[in-house]
Amino acid sequence: MAWRGWAQRGWGCGQGWGASVGGRSCEELTAVLTPPQLLGRRFNFFIQQKCGFRKAPRKVEPRRSDTGTSGEAYKRSALIPPVEETVFYPSPYPIRSLIKPLFFTVGFTGCAFGSAAIWQYESLKSRVQSYFDGIKADWLDSIRPQKEGDFRKEINKWWNNLSDGQRTVTGIIAANVLVFCLWRVPSLQRTMIRYFTSNPASKVLCSPMLLSTFSHFSLFHMAANMYVLWSFSSSIVNILGQEQFMAVYLSAGVISNFVSYVGKVATGRYGPSLGASGAIMTVLAAVCTKIPEGRLAIIFLPMFTFTAGNALKAIIAMDTAGMILGWKFFDHAAHLGGALFGIWYVTYGHELIWKNREPLVKIWHEIRTNGPKKGGGSK
């Protein structure tokens, strides 16, 4: 019965023995070791057991957030929400997934700068009235009995002591804090991943390009970005003005996300991105380009200082290397896109876009001036 034990151990032609043993083929060994009464009907079954092993068919699974590795990579990063269970379905024609984001980027940027031009017009128009309102308020405060420990008065005093840039970014910081709190609501996780993370493999492509600019999952990520924004707010608003800064900041968030889309489609590394880093890189690059001799320092190492120009070169070099080498802790394509947009805007974009806003402002002025007369009658 030695042949039975040998068969039960599963030593077939492809398992340990090779295609032949001792110069004999598989069929010859089988004929020698098998008793004559088992030849015939059982012979074929014996050959199939020993020479006909087949591998189980592989299951076809939908693609995860990357081509096999990004799910693990994003899981290791504390800056990204836990989306390892989220399944994305990239388009079979990935270049087509960039068409809608491209039109959205161009359209949103145009609307942002157009709205900023109208906003500036309205601000200039109401500045005189605000001046007289301020004089009246100061006079009323002088004759009104003052209350000790008035909380509202302390808030107004703190607000008035802020620079124009700090007052401008206060709303941006408040929006980021609100979205950060929404990430902590378990019932909103799917909605937050859908609309507040940008991913070219997602079904929603356009609105996350803007909303993800205000979205942070990590407290450290948000704190670092908001600190940099607060630190550079006075300089960037002095350079561009309040209205132009808001247009540049919002456009930078959308443009940097579009560059991120292009990078992910080109490399096939699909995955979610979020954070204000792309827009803040635009602010940082614009200030460093405009004031390259300014001195900067790292918050944890204040004893080491360097020029703004050298800092910008180092950041661009690091993000370029990260994009080429496939580093996944940050979205280096979004960082690089934001930095290049900031450099381009302060060098050429201000002259090409903001200096040519007069036709739009004239149209708006005519609408504001002649609009009420068309609706009313004359006696």
Side-chain angles (χ1 to χ4, degrees):
M1 299 298 291
W3 63 271
R4 185 183 300 273
W6 178 71
Q8 289 177 349
R9 284 195 299 269
W11 289 90
C13 298
Q15 294 182 310
W17 290 88
S20 62
V21 178
R24 297 190 178 187
S25 65
C26 179
E27 290 79 8
E28 292 175 348
L29 287 173
T30 303
V32 171
L33 295 174
T34 305
Q37 62 270 22
L38 293 180
L39 292 176
R41 184 170 57 86
R42 297 184 181 182
F43 179 75
N44 293 333
F45 175 77
F46 192 73
I47 294 298
Q48 290 177 0
Q49 286 288 92
K50 302 177 69 59
C51 301
F53 293 104
R54 295 183 180 180
K55 294 183 179 180
R58 298 178 61 182
K59 290 185 178 181
V60 179
E61 298 181 353
R63 294 179 65 176
R64 295 282 172 176
S65 59
D66 198 354
T67 55
T69 58
S70 91
E72 300 175 358
Y74 284 108
K75 185 178 179 181
R76 291 194 300 270
S77 176
L79 307 183
I80 302 297
V83 296
E84 63 271 10
E85 298 299 329
T86 302
V87 179
F88 300 102
Y89 295 91
S91 171
Y93 305 99
I95 196 66
R96 295 183 181 179
S97 63
L98 298 177
I99 296 177
K100 287 178 63 178
L102 174 61
F103 281 104
F104 177 78
T105 301
V106 175
F108 180 84
T109 302
C111 291
F113 281 96
S115 301
I118 295 174
W119 179 17
Q120 186 184 60
Y121 168 85
E122 295 294 338
S123 299
L124 293 175
K125 188 176 181 180
S126 62
R127 183 168 297 177
V128 175
Q129 184 64 36
S130 299
Y131 173 76
F132 286 110
D133 291 342
I135 295 177
K136 183 179 179 180
D138 293 339
W139 179 74
L140 290 175
D141 288 340
S142 63
I143 63 175
R144 183 184 303 163
Q146 301 295 324
K147 296 181 180 180
E148 295 294 335
D150 190 357
F151 179 74
R152 183 176 180 181
K153 182 180 177 181
E154 295 297 326
I155 293 296
N156 291 334
K157 183 179 179 180
W158 170 80
W159 180 260
N160 293 329
N161 289 333
L162 297 178
S163 65
D164 292 338
Q166 291 172 338
R167 285 196 292 266
T168 302
V169 302
T170 299
I172 298 176
I173 295 175
N176 281 269
V177 172
L178 175 61
V179 176
F180 174 78
C181 294
L182 293 179
W183 274 110
R184 295 306 177 274
V185 181
S187 60
L188 296 178
Q189 289 295 308
R190 287 184 176 273
T191 302
M192 299 300 292
I193 293 174
R194 184 180 181 90
Y195 293 102
F196 286 85
T197 62
S198 60
N199 188 354
S202 176
K203 293 182 179 180
V204 183
L205 294 175
C206 296
S207 58
M209 297 174 69
L210 175 64
L211 297 178
S212 63
T213 306
F214 300 90
S215 178
H216 296 83
F217 182 78
S218 167
L219 178 62
F220 174 79
H221 189 198
M222 183 187 69
N225 281 342
M226 296 302 101
Y227 175 80
V228 174
L229 179 62
W230 183 267
S231 301
F232 284 86
S233 60
S234 299
S235 299
I236 191 64
V237 171
N238 289 336
I239 294 172
L240 300 178
Q242 183 182 20
E243 300 83 6
Q244 188 180 189
F245 160 73
M246 288 301 300
V248 170
Y249 184 86
L250 295 177
S251 300
V254 175
I255 291 173
S256 61
N257 272 306
F258 178 74
V259 176
S260 174
Y261 279 9
V262 174
K264 291 174 183 177
V265 169
T267 59
R269 302 189 186 108
Y270 297 96
S273 298
L274 75 168
S277 302
I280 292 175
M281 283 297 298
T282 297
V283 174
L284 179 64
V287 174
C288 292
T289 302
K290 205 70 176 177
I291 316 174
E293 69 280 0
R295 305 296 298 183
L296 301 178
I298 302 175
I299 180 175
F300 301 110
L301 300 172
M303 69 288 299
F304 298 103
T305 61
F306 41 84
T307 63
N310 291 334
L312 180 60
K313 294 175 183 177
I315 291 174
I316 292 178
M318 183 187 69
D319 285 322
T320 302
M323 188 174 62
I324 295 174
L325 299 177
W327 300 344
K328 296 179 181 179
F329 191 72
F330 297 110
D331 191 342
H332 296 281
H335 289 190
L336 189 61
L340 294 179
F341 175 67
I343 296 172
W344 175 85
Y345 187 82
V346 296
T347 306
Y348 306 104
H350 177 75
E351 297 290 333
L352 295 175
I353 300 176
W354 194 248
K355 290 294 185 64
N356 294 321
R357 70 189 186 281
E358 286 81 5
L360 176 62
V361 174
K362 289 181 180 179
I363 294 174
W364 180 255
H365 175 73
E366 293 177 359
I367 293 174
R368 289 295 309 273
T369 304
N370 303 325
K373 294 181 179 180
K374 293 181 180 179
S378 59
K379 294 183 179 180

